[in-house]
Amino acid sequence: MATRTALVVDDHPITHLGCGRLLADLGYGRVVKAMSGAEALAVLEAETPAVVVLDIALPDTPGLSLIAPIRDRAPEAAILVFSMNDQPGFAAKALAEGAQGFLSKNAAPDEFSAAIRALEAGEFYLSPGHALALAVRQVGAAGDATALTTREEQVLSLIGQGRTLQEIADEIGVSYKTVANTSSTLKRKLGVTGMTGLIRQAMDRDV
C-alpha cells in the first residue's frame, strides 16, 4: 500500500506538530511541512500530497492566494484551510477559490479529523457554525436591497484598504467618474454618508 502524503502549510511549529500527529493517526505516513507560500510551492514540485492543510496568514503571501497555484501543481489534492480567523466571509472566499473545506484553529481535534475524512471522501467540509452563517448570508443576499454587485464589492474592498477614488480608478481600469458613482451607490445602499462609513462597512463585511 502506497504511503499517503499530507502537506501542512503554516508558519507555527506547534501547528505542524499537532496536525502531524492527527494526520499520522488518520493513516498519513508522510507529513511534509512548509513555513511559507514560496516553500509550499517548492515542496509541490517534488511531492504529490493527498491533502493540503493551509493557513491563511503566512509570512510572505495571503494563504487564500495560494489555493489556485496549489490546484495547478497538485490537482488531486484536497485543500483544507485552517485558520485562526473564523469569520464566515473567509470561509466563503476559501471555497470560492477552490478549497474543499474551512476549519477554525479553535476546533477540537475530533473536528479536524472529521474534516480530513470528509475531504478524503470527496465531500466539502464546514463546521456547523460556518455552514449556518453562510446559508443565512446567501439567503439574505438573494432578497436584500443592500446586496452588492461584484464591482461594488471590488470598490468597497479597495476603499477599505485606504485607496483614494483616483487610485481605485487607475487600478481597475475605469474612469474616476465611474468609481465616484459607485461610491455614491455604496453610500446609499449601505446607509452611510462618508468615506469613513464605507471603510467601516468594508471591515464589517470582510470584503
Side-chain angles (χ1 to χ4, degrees):
M1 185 176 181
T3 299
R4 290 193 300 169
T5 299
L7 170 62
V8 179
V9 186
D10 195 291
D11 62 338
H12 293 92
I14 195 167
T15 301
H16 287 287
L17 179 63
C19 289
R21 289 177 175 173
L22 292 169
L23 289 163
D25 289 343
L26 290 168
Y28 288 87
R30 180 170 168 76
V31 180
V32 184
K33 68 178 182 180
M35 304 290 286
S36 67
E39 188 176 348
L41 297 181
V43 166
L44 289 171
E45 296 296 328
E47 302 284 349
T48 54
V51 65
V52 177
V53 179
L54 175 66
D55 189 16
I56 285 180
L58 297 171
D60 60 342
T61 186
L64 294 182
S65 70
L66 277 179
I67 294 174
I70 290 172
R71 291 253 65 87
D72 290 341
R73 289 167 172 77
E76 301 301 319
I79 301 174
L80 175 67
V81 174
F82 190 45
S83 174
M84 283 300 297
N85 194 320
D86 61 359
Q87 294 189 28
F90 283 96
K93 289 178 182 178
L95 297 185
E97 290 293 331
Q100 283 75 39
F102 186 97
L103 185 67
S104 168
K105 287 185 177 179
N106 293 319
D110 286 350
E111 189 173 359
F112 179 90
S113 299
I116 296 297
R117 290 193 187 100
L119 269 60
E120 290 173 342
E123 301 170 357
F124 287 85
Y125 185 88
L126 290 173
S127 67
H130 282 123
L132 177 60
L134 289 182
V136 170
R137 183 170 170 162
Q138 290 172 354
V139 169
D144 187 356
T146 67
L148 305 183
T149 66
T150 300
R151 170 58 57 79
E152 288 165 354
E153 284 195 353
Q154 183 182 30
V155 170
L156 183 61
S157 176
L158 292 169
I159 288 173
Q161 295 171 33
R163 311 289 180 83
T164 67
L165 298 187
Q166 186 60 60
E167 287 171 342
I168 295 171
D170 293 340
E171 180 162 339
I172 66 178
V174 299
S175 68
Y176 174 88
K177 183 177 180 180
T178 296
V179 177
N181 288 341
T182 302
S183 173
S184 297
T185 300
L186 285 167
K187 291 174 186 175
R188 183 179 70 254
K189 280 187 173 184
L190 301 177
V192 299
T193 57
M195 296 298 287
T196 300
L198 290 179
I199 292 171
R200 187 175 297 113
Q201 285 289 325
M203 295 174 65
D204 290 345
R205 285 173 170 253
D206 299 322
V207 297

Coordinates of all heavy atoms in Angstrom, one line a residue, residues 31-99:
V31 N 4.1 13.3 6.5 CA 3.6 14.7 6.6 C 4.7 15.7 6.4 O 5.7 15.7 7.1 CB 3.0 14.9 8.0 CG1 2.4 16.3 8.2 CG2 1.9 13.9 8.3
V32 N 4.6 16.5 5.3 CA 5.6 17.4 4.9 C 5.2 18.8 5.4 O 4.0 19.1 5.3 CB 5.8 17.4 3.4 CG1 6.9 18.4 3.0 CG2 6.1 16.0 2.9
K33 N 6.1 19.6 5.8 CA 5.7 20.9 6.3 C 6.3 22.0 5.4 O 7.4 21.8 4.8 CB 6.2 21.1 7.8 CG 7.7 21.2 7.9 CD 8.1 21.4 9.4 CE 9.6 21.5 9.6 NZ 9.9 21.8 11.0
A34 N 5.6 23.1 5.4 CA 6.1 24.3 4.7 C 5.8 25.5 5.6 O 4.7 25.6 6.1 CB 5.5 24.5 3.3
M35 N 6.7 26.4 5.7 CA 6.6 27.6 6.6 C 6.1 28.8 5.9 O 5.8 29.8 6.5 CB 7.9 27.9 7.3 CG 8.4 26.7 8.1 SD 7.5 26.3 9.6 CE 7.9 27.6 10.7
S36 N 6.0 28.8 4.6 CA 5.7 30.0 3.8 C 5.0 29.5 2.5 O 5.1 28.3 2.1 CB 6.9 30.8 3.5 OG 7.8 30.1 2.6
G37 N 4.5 30.5 1.8 CA 3.9 30.2 0.5 C 4.9 29.7 -0.5 O 4.7 28.7 -1.3
A38 N 6.0 30.4 -0.6 CA 7.1 30.0 -1.5 C 7.6 28.6 -1.2 O 7.8 27.8 -2.2 CB 8.2 31.0 -1.4
E39 N 7.7 28.3 0.0 CA 8.2 27.0 0.4 C 7.2 25.9 0.0 O 7.6 24.8 -0.4 CB 8.5 26.9 1.9 CG 9.2 25.6 2.3 CD 9.6 25.6 3.8 OE1 9.5 26.7 4.4 OE2 9.9 24.5 4.3
A40 N 5.9 26.2 0.2 CA 4.9 25.3 -0.2 C 4.9 24.9 -1.7 O 4.8 23.8 -2.1 CB 3.5 25.8 0.2
L41 N 5.1 26.0 -2.5 CA 5.1 25.7 -3.9 C 6.3 25.0 -4.3 O 6.3 24.2 -5.3 CB 5.0 27.1 -4.7 CG 3.7 27.9 -4.4 CD1 3.7 29.2 -5.2 CD2 2.5 27.0 -4.8
A42 N 7.4 25.2 -3.6 CA 8.7 24.5 -3.9 C 8.5 23.0 -3.6 O 8.9 22.1 -4.3 CB 9.8 25.1 -3.2
V43 N 7.8 22.7 -2.4 CA 7.6 21.4 -2.0 C 6.7 20.6 -3.0 O 7.0 19.4 -3.4 CB 6.8 21.3 -0.6 CG1 6.3 20.0 -0.3 CG2 7.8 21.8 0.5
L44 N 5.8 21.3 -3.6 CA 4.9 20.7 -4.6 C 5.5 20.4 -5.9 O 4.9 19.7 -6.7 CB 3.6 21.6 -4.8 CG 2.7 21.7 -3.6 CD1 1.6 22.7 -3.9 CD2 2.0 20.3 -3.4
E45 N 6.7 20.8 -6.1 CA 7.5 20.4 -7.3 C 7.9 19.0 -7.2 O 8.2 18.3 -8.2 CB 8.7 21.3 -7.5 CG 8.4 22.8 -7.8 CD 7.6 23.0 -9.1 OE1 7.9 22.2 -10.0 OE2 6.8 23.9 -9.2
A46 N 8.1 18.5 -5.9 CA 8.6 17.1 -5.7 C 7.6 16.2 -5.1 O 7.7 15.0 -5.1 CB 9.8 17.2 -4.9
E47 N 6.6 16.8 -4.4 CA 5.6 16.0 -3.6 C 4.2 16.0 -4.3 O 3.9 16.9 -4.9 CB 5.5 16.5 -2.2 CG 6.8 16.5 -1.4 CD 7.2 15.1 -0.9 OE1 6.4 14.2 -1.0 OE2 8.4 15.0 -0.5
T48 N 3.5 14.9 -4.1 CA 2.1 14.8 -4.5 C 1.2 14.5 -3.4 O 0.8 13.3 -3.2 CB 1.9 13.8 -5.7 OG1 2.5 12.5 -5.2 CG2 2.7 14.2 -6.9
P49 N 0.9 15.5 -2.5 CA 0.1 15.2 -1.3 C -1.4 14.9 -1.7 O -1.9 15.4 -2.7 CB 0.2 16.5 -0.5 CG 0.4 17.5 -1.6 CD 1.3 16.9 -2.6
A50 N -2.0 14.0 -0.8 CA -3.4 13.7 -1.0 C -4.2 14.9 -0.4 O -5.4 15.1 -0.8 CB -3.7 12.4 -0.3
V51 N -3.6 15.5 0.6 CA -4.4 16.6 1.3 C -3.4 17.7 1.7 O -2.2 17.4 2.0 CB -5.1 16.1 2.6 CG1 -4.1 15.6 3.6 CG2 -6.0 17.2 3.2
V52 N -3.8 19.0 1.6 CA -3.1 20.1 2.0 C -3.8 20.9 3.1 O -5.0 21.2 2.9 CB -2.8 21.1 0.8 CG1 -2.0 22.3 1.2 CG2 -2.0 20.3 -0.3
V53 N -3.2 21.1 4.2 CA -3.7 21.9 5.3 C -3.1 23.3 5.2 O -1.8 23.4 5.3 CB -3.5 21.2 6.6 CG1 -4.1 22.1 7.8 CG2 -4.1 19.8 6.7
L54 N -3.9 24.3 5.0 CA -3.3 25.6 4.6 C -3.8 26.7 5.5 O -5.0 26.9 5.7 CB -3.8 25.9 3.1 CG -3.4 27.3 2.6 CD1 -1.9 27.5 2.4 CD2 -4.1 27.5 1.2
D55 N -2.9 27.4 6.1 CA -3.2 28.6 6.9 C -3.4 29.8 6.0 O -2.9 29.9 4.9 CB -2.0 28.9 7.9 CG -2.4 29.9 8.9 OD1 -3.6 30.2 9.1 OD2 -1.5 30.5 9.6
I56 N -4.2 30.7 6.5 CA -4.5 32.0 5.7 C -3.3 33.0 5.9 O -2.9 33.6 4.9 CB -5.8 32.6 6.2 CG1 -7.0 31.9 5.7 CG2 -5.9 34.1 5.7 CD1 -8.3 32.5 6.1
A57 N -2.8 33.1 7.1 CA -1.8 34.1 7.5 C -0.4 33.6 7.4 O 0.1 33.0 8.3 CB -2.1 34.7 8.8
L58 N 0.2 33.8 6.2 CA 1.6 33.3 6.0 C 2.5 34.5 5.9 O 2.1 35.6 5.6 CB 1.7 32.5 4.7 CG 0.8 31.2 4.7 CD1 0.8 30.5 3.3 CD2 1.4 30.2 5.8
P59 N 3.8 34.3 6.2 CA 4.7 35.5 6.2 C 4.9 36.2 4.9 O 5.3 37.3 4.9 CB 6.0 34.9 6.8 CG 5.9 33.5 6.5 CD 4.5 33.1 6.6
D60 N 4.8 35.4 3.8 CA 5.1 36.0 2.5 C 3.9 36.2 1.6 O 4.1 36.9 0.6 CB 6.2 35.1 1.8 CG 5.7 33.7 1.5 OD1 4.7 33.3 2.2 OD2 6.2 33.0 0.7
T61 N 2.8 35.7 1.9 CA 1.6 35.8 1.0 C 0.4 35.4 1.7 O 0.4 34.6 2.6 CB 1.8 34.9 -0.3 OG1 0.8 35.1 -1.2 CG2 1.8 33.4 0.1
P62 N -0.8 36.0 1.3 CA -2.1 35.5 1.9 C -2.3 34.1 1.5 O -2.2 33.7 0.3 CB -3.1 36.5 1.3 CG -2.3 37.7 0.8 CD -1.0 37.1 0.4
G63 N -2.7 33.3 2.4 CA -2.9 31.9 2.1 C -4.0 31.6 1.1 O -3.8 30.7 0.3
L64 N -5.0 32.4 1.0 CA -6.1 32.2 0.1 C -5.6 32.4 -1.4 O -6.1 31.7 -2.3 CB -7.2 33.2 0.3 CG -8.0 33.0 1.6 CD1 -9.2 34.0 1.7 CD2 -8.5 31.6 1.7
S65 N -4.5 33.2 -1.6 CA -4.0 33.4 -2.9 C -3.2 32.2 -3.4 O -2.8 32.1 -4.5 CB -3.1 34.6 -3.0 OG -1.9 34.5 -2.2
L66 N -2.9 31.3 -2.4 CA -2.1 30.1 -2.8 C -3.0 28.9 -3.3 O -2.5 28.0 -3.9 CB -1.4 29.5 -1.5 CG 0.0 30.2 -1.2 CD1 0.5 29.5 0.1 CD2 1.0 30.0 -2.3
I67 N -4.3 29.0 -3.1 CA -5.2 27.9 -3.4 C -5.1 27.6 -4.9 O -4.9 26.4 -5.3 CB -6.6 28.2 -3.0 CG1 -6.7 28.3 -1.5 CG2 -7.6 27.1 -3.5 CD1 -8.0 28.7 -0.9
A68 N -5.2 28.6 -5.8 CA -5.1 28.3 -7.2 C -3.8 27.7 -7.6 O -3.8 26.7 -8.4 CB -5.4 29.6 -8.0
P69 N -2.6 28.3 -7.2 CA -1.4 27.6 -7.6 C -1.2 26.2 -7.0 O -0.6 25.4 -7.7 CB -0.3 28.6 -6.9 CG -1.0 29.9 -6.8 CD -2.4 29.6 -6.5
I70 N -1.8 25.9 -5.9 CA -1.7 24.6 -5.3 C -2.6 23.7 -6.2 O -2.2 22.5 -6.6 CB -2.2 24.5 -3.9 CG1 -1.2 25.2 -2.9 CG2 -2.5 23.1 -3.4 CD1 -1.7 25.4 -1.5
R71 N -3.7 24.2 -6.6 CA -4.6 23.4 -7.5 C -3.9 23.0 -8.8 O -4.0 21.9 -9.4 CB -5.9 24.2 -7.9 CG -6.8 24.4 -6.7 CD -8.1 23.5 -6.9 NE -7.7 22.1 -6.8 CZ -7.7 21.4 -5.7 NH1 -7.9 22.0 -4.6 NH2 -7.3 20.1 -5.7
D72 N -3.1 24.0 -9.3 CA -2.4 23.8 -10.6 C -1.3 22.7 -10.4 O -1.1 21.9 -11.3 CB -1.7 25.1 -11.1 CG -2.7 26.1 -11.6 OD1 -3.9 25.7 -11.9 OD2 -2.4 27.3 -11.6
R73 N -0.6 22.7 -9.3 CA 0.5 21.8 -9.1 C 0.1 20.5 -8.6 O 0.7 19.5 -8.8 CB 1.5 22.5 -8.2 CG 2.3 23.6 -8.8 CD 3.0 24.4 -7.7 NE 3.9 25.4 -8.3 CZ 3.5 26.6 -8.8 NH1 2.2 26.9 -8.8 NH2 4.4 27.4 -9.2
A74 N -1.0 20.4 -7.8 CA -1.5 19.2 -7.2 C -3.0 19.1 -7.4 O -3.8 19.2 -6.4 CB -1.1 19.1 -5.8
P75 N -3.5 18.9 -8.6 CA -4.9 18.9 -8.9 C -5.7 17.9 -8.1 O -6.9 18.0 -7.9 CB -5.0 18.7 -10.4 CG -3.7 18.1 -10.8 CD -2.7 18.6 -9.8
E76 N -5.1 16.8 -7.7 CA -5.8 15.7 -7.0 C -5.9 16.0 -5.5 O -6.6 15.3 -4.8 CB -5.1 14.4 -7.2 CG -5.1 14.0 -8.7 CD -6.5 13.9 -9.3 OE1 -7.4 13.4 -8.6 OE2 -6.7 14.4 -10.5
A77 N -5.1 17.0 -5.0 CA -5.0 17.2 -3.6 C -6.3 17.9 -3.1 O -6.9 18.8 -3.7 CB -3.8 18.1 -3.2
A78 N -6.8 17.5 -1.9 CA -7.9 18.2 -1.2 C -7.3 19.3 -0.3 O -6.3 19.0 0.4 CB -8.7 17.2 -0.4
I79 N -7.9 20.5 -0.3 CA -7.3 21.6 0.4 C -8.2 21.9 1.6 O -9.4 22.3 1.3 CB -7.1 22.8 -0.5 CG1 -6.1 22.5 -1.6 CG2 -6.5 24.0 0.3 CD1 -6.0 23.6 -2.6
L80 N -7.7 21.9 2.8 CA -8.4 22.3 4.0 C -7.8 23.6 4.5 O -6.6 23.6 4.9 CB -8.4 21.3 5.1 CG -9.0 21.7 6.4 CD1 -10.5 21.8 6.3 CD2 -8.7 20.6 7.5
V81 N -8.5 24.7 4.4 CA -8.0 26.0 5.0 C -8.2 25.9 6.5 O -9.3 25.6 7.0 CB -8.7 27.2 4.4 CG1 -8.3 28.5 5.1 CG2 -8.4 27.3 2.9
F82 N -7.1 26.2 7.3 CA -7.1 26.0 8.7 C -6.6 27.3 9.3 O -5.4 27.6 9.2 CB -6.2 24.8 9.1 CG -6.2 24.4 10.5 CD1 -7.4 24.2 11.2 CD2 -5.0 24.1 11.1 CE1 -7.4 23.7 12.5 CE2 -5.0 23.6 12.4 CZ -6.3 23.4 13.1
S83 N -7.5 28.1 9.9 CA -7.2 29.5 10.3 C -7.7 29.9 11.6 O -8.7 29.4 12.1 CB -7.8 30.4 9.2 OG -7.6 31.8 9.5
M84 N -6.9 30.9 12.2 CA -7.4 31.5 13.5 C -8.6 32.4 13.2 O -9.4 32.7 14.1 CB -6.3 32.3 14.1 CG -5.2 31.5 14.8 SD -5.9 30.5 16.2 CE -6.5 31.8 17.3
N85 N -8.7 32.9 12.0 CA -9.8 33.8 11.6 C -11.0 33.0 11.2 O -11.0 32.3 10.1 CB -9.4 34.8 10.5 CG -10.4 35.9 10.3 OD1 -11.6 35.7 10.5 ND2 -9.9 37.1 10.1
D86 N -12.0 32.9 12.0 CA -13.2 32.0 11.8 C -14.4 32.8 11.3 O -15.5 32.3 11.4 CB -13.5 31.2 13.0 CG -13.9 32.1 14.2 OD1 -13.9 33.3 14.1 OD2 -14.2 31.5 15.3
Q87 N -14.2 34.0 10.7 CA -15.4 34.7 10.2 C -15.9 34.0 8.9 O -15.1 33.6 8.1 CB -15.0 36.1 9.9 CG -14.7 36.9 11.2 CD -14.5 38.4 10.9 OE1 -15.1 38.9 10.0 NE2 -13.7 39.1 11.7
P88 N -17.2 34.0 8.7 CA -17.8 33.3 7.6 C -17.3 33.8 6.2 O -17.2 33.0 5.3 CB -19.3 33.5 7.8 CG -19.5 33.7 9.2 CD -18.2 34.4 9.7
G89 N -17.0 35.1 6.2 CA -16.5 35.7 4.9 C -15.3 35.0 4.4 O -15.1 34.8 3.2
F90 N -14.4 34.6 5.3 CA -13.1 33.9 4.9 C -13.4 32.5 4.4 O -12.8 32.0 3.5 CB -12.1 33.9 6.0 CG -11.4 35.3 6.2 CD1 -11.9 36.2 7.1 CD2 -10.3 35.6 5.4 CE1 -11.2 37.4 7.3 CE2 -9.7 36.8 5.5 CZ -10.1 37.7 6.5
A91 N -14.4 31.9 5.1 CA -14.8 30.5 4.6 C -15.4 30.6 3.2 O -15.0 29.7 2.4 CB -15.8 29.9 5.6
A92 N -16.2 31.6 3.0 CA -16.8 31.7 1.6 C -15.8 31.9 0.6 O -15.8 31.3 -0.5 CB -17.8 32.8 1.6
K93 N -14.8 32.8 0.9 CA -13.7 33.0 -0.1 C -12.9 31.8 -0.3 O -12.4 31.6 -1.5 CB -12.9 34.2 0.4 CG -13.6 35.6 0.3 CD -12.7 36.7 0.9 CE -13.5 38.0 0.9 NZ -12.7 39.1 1.4
A94 N -12.6 31.1 0.7 CA -11.8 29.9 0.6 C -12.4 28.9 -0.4 O -11.8 28.3 -1.3 CB -11.5 29.2 2.0
L95 N -13.7 28.6 -0.2 CA -14.4 27.7 -1.1 C -14.5 28.3 -2.5 O -14.4 27.5 -3.5 CB -15.8 27.5 -0.5 CG -15.9 26.8 0.8 CD1 -17.4 26.5 1.2 CD2 -15.1 25.5 0.9
A96 N -14.7 29.6 -2.6 CA -14.8 30.2 -3.9 C -13.5 30.0 -4.7 O -13.5 29.9 -5.9 CB -15.2 31.6 -3.8
E97 N -12.4 30.1 -4.0 CA -11.0 29.9 -4.6 C -10.7 28.5 -5.0 O -9.8 28.3 -5.7 CB -10.0 30.5 -3.7 CG -10.0 32.0 -3.5 CD -9.7 32.8 -4.8 OE1 -8.9 32.2 -5.6 OE2 -10.1 33.9 -4.9
G98 N -11.4 27.5 -4.4 CA -11.2 26.1 -4.8 C -10.8 25.2 -3.7 O -10.5 24.0 -3.9
A99 N -10.9 25.7 -2.4 CA -10.6 24.8 -1.3 C -11.9 23.9 -1.1 O -13.0 24.2 -1.5 CB -10.4 25.6 0.0

